[in-house]
């Protein structure tokens, strides 16, 4: 966990891409679930944030 947080603070590609991937997956799950309307409402924003974040972090150093 400490290495992950250090990677986030030093703007390394791996941890940020992992976080972006989790956001994309969370957004898709929020989109497909039938129980909570608030989750469905925010799913597009979460997926879009994860996608833009992944595009930006792909330019970070390894």
């Amino acid at each position: 966990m400490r290495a992950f947080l250090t990677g986030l603070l030093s703007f390394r590609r791996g941890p940020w891409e992992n976080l972006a991937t989790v956001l994309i997956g969370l957004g898709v799950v929020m989109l497909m679930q039938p129980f909570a309307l608030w989750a469905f409402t925010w799913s597009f924003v979460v997926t879009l944030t994860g996608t833009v974040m992944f595009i930006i972090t792909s330019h970070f150093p390894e």
Side-chain angles (χ1 to χ4, degrees), residues 7-50:
L8 284 177
L9 294 176
S10 63
F11 291 104
R12 293 292 175 200
R13 182 186 301 180
W16 282 100
E17 280 184 348
N18 290 341
L19 185 61
T21 304
V22 167
L23 279 178
I24 293 169
L26 180 65
V28 170
V29 168
M30 289 168 65
L31 180 67
M32 293 186 192
Q33 58 82 31
F35 304 113
L37 184 60
W38 66 268
F40 179 78
T41 304
W42 285 96
S43 64
F44 178 73
V45 174
V46 172
T47 306
L48 183 65
T49 302

